[in-house]
Amino acid sequence: MKDVEYIFENRPINRIITKPVVEDKVDLLEKLKTKIQNIDNCELKSKAKKLVFNDGNPNSELMLVGEGPGEKEDLIGKPFVGDAGTLLNKMLKAINIERGKIYITNVVYFRPPKNRKPEAAEIMRYSEFLREHISIINPKILILMGSTAMEAIFGSKLKISKERGIWKEIIINNKKYLVMITFHPAYLLRQAEQKKYSWTDLKEIRKKIDSLQLKI
Ligand code: URA
């Protein structure tokens, strides 16, 4: 066998150090949370007990946005853990989605006093955070539950009864997202006759997950 001649160079190898995406996301979410924690002149923040930021899997391809924490969420510090959360869990289960496999957040991160609907100015202020939040999670499908979430992304001119159940696209920070607006579970608890529309939307969401072959 012929001797092999090895040539060694003295120059250092130009190594590129990359950080895993997962770690970046956790980092960015932590920074966003700190930014929200530090906002000034916000009635919601001054009256709430806790910052309610998120639940679920930050790497999920499905992100769901509600309105804001209620009493139980404010106590526990997690979104959708009260009655609306119980219904949400059932809705997800009906289309074979495990809650822990998706990412859940709200438009406002502090409980509005007496569970009032966030005001237009509050929605506008918090929509900046929501856009950043969406960019960090970078979902394949974005579900906006209720008129507050719809308003935060599409403005105040739309009517949820007309817009729900239709796939839309929205560009946030130069990235296009597929969006579905649907009724909020708290609304469905008050208006049970609207559940049939919600079921149509849920089945449409399941169909899209399957056709895009999402890992949910
Ligand atoms: N309703 C919401 O919109 N979000 C919650 O976290 C709880 C109830």
Side-chain angles (χ1 to χ4, degrees):
M1 191 179 136
K2 206 167 165 270
D3 272 354
V4 181
E5 192 185 343
Y6 291 102
I7 304 169
F8 291 97
E9 276 206 55
N10 260 341
R11 279 188 303 138
I13 302 165
N14 196 8
R15 291 185 206 277
I16 298 167
I17 300 169
T18 58
K19 258 174 120 189
V21 176
V22 179
E23 209 176 294
D24 282 350
K25 256 191 196 182
V26 172
D27 218 40
L28 290 169
L29 286 172
E30 221 26 69
K31 286 196 178 112
L32 175 61
K33 197 170 164 185
T34 306
K35 196 153 59 168
I36 296 158
Q37 190 75 74
N38 290 330
I39 63 168
D40 290 324
N41 302 320
C42 175
E43 194 204 4
L44 306 182
K45 178 185 161 184
S46 66
K47 303 235 165 107
K49 291 189 174 67
K50 281 208 170 96
L51 166 73
V52 178
F53 189 58
N54 62 0
D55 193 28
N57 173 14
N59 295 307
S60 180
E61 296 181 312
L62 196 149
M63 177 173 184
L64 190 148
V65 182
E67 178 175 287
E71 190 177 10
K72 199 152 179 202
E73 289 78 15
D74 188 39
L75 277 175
I76 294 174
K78 247 190 185 192
F80 285 103
V81 288
D83 292 344
T86 305
L87 179 56
L88 174 64
N89 296 347
K90 284 185 192 160
M91 289 160 73
L92 294 171
K93 210 164 165 200
I95 52 165
N96 213 9
I97 294 178
E98 240 178 81
R99 175 184 164 131
K101 292 204 172 145
I102 66 167
Y103 186 81
I104 300 178
T105 189
N106 280 311
V107 174
V108 299
Y109 302 94
F110 300 102
R111 180 193 179 196
K114 299 195 179 108
N115 292 348
R116 67 161 168 78
K117 184 177 157 59
E119 289 165 5
E122 290 164 341
I123 295 173
M124 200 140 78
R125 184 178 193 188
Y126 276 85
S127 71
E128 285 299 310
F129 299 128
L130 179 58
R131 285 167 179 276
E132 190 177 336
H133 211 154
I134 294 165
S135 295
I136 296 170
I137 300 301
N138 193 24
K140 294 277 191 323
I141 294 179
L142 179 65
I143 309 293
L144 301 177
M145 288 196 132
S147 59
T148 300
M150 179 185 73
E151 187 174 333
I153 295 299
F154 290 100
S156 59
K157 301 247 154 67
L158 306 187
K159 274 217 147 324
I160 190 161
S161 51
K162 262 187 80 187
E163 306 298 336
R164 55 141 282 277
I166 304 164
W167 288 109
K168 298 176 189 296
E169 284 181 345
I170 184 92
I171 296 173
I172 298 171
N173 298 326
N174 294 319
K175 173 90 210 294
K176 213 189 270 178
Y177 296 93
L178 192 56
V179 187
M180 167 78 77
I181 297 164
T182 190
F183 289 138
H184 191 288
Y187 171 74
L188 297 172
L189 286 172
R190 295 190 304 269
Q191 307 279 335
E193 75 281 1
Q194 302 292 322
K195 283 185 180 173
K196 55 182 179 286
Y197 300 112
S198 170
W199 179 230
T200 308
D201 301 351
L202 289 169
K203 284 189 287 185
E204 195 50 50
I205 292 165
R206 179 73 248 176
K207 245 205 283 181
K208 188 64 83 181
I209 291 170
D210 293 340
S211 71
L212 296 177
Q213 299 185 321
L214 303 188
K215 302 179 284 296
I216 294 164

